[in-house]
Amino acid sequence: MSTMQAAIAHEFGGPLSLEDVEIPTPEDGEVVIQVETSGLCHTDIHAVHGDWPVKPKMPLIPGHEGVGIVTRAGSGVTEVKEGDRVALPWLAYACGNCEYCASGWETLCPNQENAGYSIDGSYAEYAKGFAKYVSKVPDGVDPLDAAPLTCAGVTTYKAVKVSGARPSDLVAVFGIGGLGHLAVQYARIAGATVVAVDLVDKKLEIAEELGAAYTFNPTKVDVTEEIQKLGGADAAISTAVSPKAFEQAYQSLKRGGTLVFVGLPADNEVDLPIFETVLNGITVRGSIVGTRVDLAEVFELHANGLTEVHREVRTLDTVNESFDDVLHSRMDEPRIVFDLRDGLA
Ligand code: NAD
Ligand code: ZN
Ligand code: ZN
């Protein structure tokens, strides 16, 4: 029996440890990949901390921005073959038959499995996926870029789509982390003028480099007032890990505007007024990751040179300090990507 190393959480809030475990075996319709890269999404921290109403499995191998090479395919797999480079996204499996799956909303499937949450993920030398839900990574997309695109990319690409952003709209992105720095770019691709909001000036500088026309730090200015001075936002997308940012995003909208909830702070409540929502015709909607088609589009945009992924490369043995660094914004780039190609240390 062959073993691999994986970063494993055993209890909520506890540290992850690198351990030897069995390499997964592919069942019918499944594939096993040798992981090349795996991004650190803030969701992985929420998972290990048990922050959300629905808890992950424990013990858990986190990770849902996994990219690697298919080494084994179970019986009946036709979608990919050994040697293909694929991504293992959050939406690891959906039933394919329910009303959501059948209508192009597989992300809402009630029978879904989520990588690094309900099943083990890609903080490991090998990881298992469902062949129908892994996505091929096109040649020419660096695996270090493909990893963040697999969640941060597809999620914000979809969020911009559902925000209804159009050319010349003003779109405010709250939170310029792994997700937000890509949201800025997709909003620009949609033709919008972008306002970026974050508590950390370094993140705002990155947003500006990526095409944000305005940047505001709520610790220094009244962001809602500043955005209202610009005419108000047609759409606001909150990826920030704080309910306060969602409330400010709401207050930044113009009449008829749309607020998209994307971030998932542990503190699960926001305070929004009914009267203004009704009279100003405001739309509030949630957006959860994206479909396989959305992810294919995200890879295509990147392969065509339309997006940039700002990431900091680390080894998986830094996982605990990396979680801490994300919580305290102590990185040079908005996304950490673990590179497993030369081992875990
Ligand atoms: P991140 O830590 O990289 O980024 C969060 C950013 O928000 C940071 O730059 C931080 O400085 C900023 N921030 C915190 N408080 C703020 C405030 N009050 N105002 C403005 N900015 C503030 O995290 P990430 O990986 O980009 O994930 C963001 C959130 O999105 C997490 O809660 C994650 O679980 C969630 N998420 C949701 C989906 C989805 O499908 N809806 C998918 C992936 C991640
Ligand atoms: Zn994620
Ligand atoms: Zn379904």
Side-chain angles (χ1 to χ4, degrees):
M1 178 192 319
S2 37
T3 61
M4 64 170 184
Q5 283 209 300
I8 304 185
H10 287 276
E11 55 179 8
F12 294 124
L16 285 85
S17 50
L18 289 189
E19 294 172 26
D20 287 320
V21 292
E22 227 178 286
I23 296 178
T25 322
E27 312 275 326
D28 290 0
E30 296 178 348
V31 293
V32 168
I33 68 163
Q34 183 168 15
V35 179
E36 299 179 295
T37 58
S38 190
L40 193 180
C41 179
H42 206 117
T43 291
D44 303 332
I45 302 177
H46 295 307
V48 171
H49 290 186
D51 277 346
W52 296 339
V54 176
K55 308 293 173 196
K57 77 184 272 283
M58 274 294 157
L60 174 72
I61 302 175
H64 58 273
E65 287 187 347
V67 171
I69 305 294
V70 176
T71 52
R72 286 183 70 188
S75 62
V77 170
T78 54
E79 297 80 2
V80 293
K81 57 183 190 313
E82 281 176 31
D84 285 349
R85 174 172 289 129
V86 299
L88 257 51
W90 172 257
L91 188 69
Y93 171 84
C95 80
N97 294 315
C98 70
E99 66 174 290
Y100 305 101
C101 284
S103 61
W105 283 98
E106 63 202 34
T107 50
L108 303 182
C109 177
N111 306 311
Q112 67 186 270
E113 298 287 352
N114 300 121
Y117 209 84
S118 67
I119 60 173
D120 283 331
S122 51
Y123 284 12
E125 290 177 291
Y126 293 85
K128 199 158 85 162
F130 294 86
K132 283 187 167 42
Y133 288 86
V134 301
S135 287
K136 276 191 195 165
V137 178
D139 291 340
V141 175
D142 185 334
L144 292 168
D145 291 345
L149 294 173
T150 299
C151 179
V154 74
T155 298
T156 52
Y157 180 65
K158 186 67 158 196
V160 168
K161 272 191 184 176
V162 304
S163 80
R166 288 160 175 275
S168 95
D169 276 358
L170 191 67
V171 172
V173 178
F174 282 72
I176 308 297
L179 267 63
H181 92 284
L182 284 155
V184 167
Q185 299 178 65
Y186 297 124
R188 290 284 298 130
I189 289 168
T193 300
V194 176
V195 183
V197 179
D198 203 289
L199 307 174
V200 180
D201 283 334
K202 196 160 56 182
K203 309 234 183 187
L204 295 177
E205 284 163 25
I206 292 168
E208 208 173 334
E209 269 175 48
L210 295 171
Y214 307 93
T215 61
F216 299 120
N217 185 332
T219 65
K220 297 182 180 163
V221 297
D222 183 332
V223 283
T224 63
E225 197 179 296
E226 294 297 330
I227 297 172
Q228 288 299 346
K229 273 196 239 161
L230 298 171
D234 296 277
I237 297 169
S238 183
T239 75
V241 191
S242 151
K244 175 98 180 141
F246 286 66
E247 290 160 14
Q248 289 173 338
Y250 178 94
Q251 301 295 345
S252 305
L253 294 173
K254 70 196 286 185
R255 288 174 173 236
T258 297
L259 170 58
V260 186
F261 282 13
V262 177
L264 290 158
D267 186 357
N268 195 21
E269 305 288 332
V270 283
D271 194 3
L272 301 179
I274 296 166
F275 182 82
E276 288 79 357
T277 302
V278 173
L279 271 81
N280 295 336
I282 299 297
T283 301
V284 177
R285 63 178 299 174
S287 190
I288 178 75
V289 293
T291 63
R292 292 164 288 181
V293 172
D294 294 318
L295 182 52
E297 291 172 9
V298 159
F299 284 146
E300 191 180 327
L301 288 171
H302 195 74
N304 290 338
L306 277 99
T307 50
E308 272 176 47
V309 177
H310 281 238
R311 38 39 181 200
E312 188 166 317
V313 181
R314 299 191 182 183
T315 48
L316 189 58
D317 64 340
T318 69
V319 63
N320 291 307
E321 66 197 72
S322 294
F323 273 26
D324 249 31
D325 288 348
V326 171
L327 289 170
H328 298 99
S329 289
R330 281 191 303 243
M331 308 92 77
D332 294 321
E333 297 291 358
R335 198 49 136 210
I336 290 172
V337 178
F338 299 119
D339 189 342
L340 289 89
R341 287 171 292 188
D342 291 322
L344 271 56

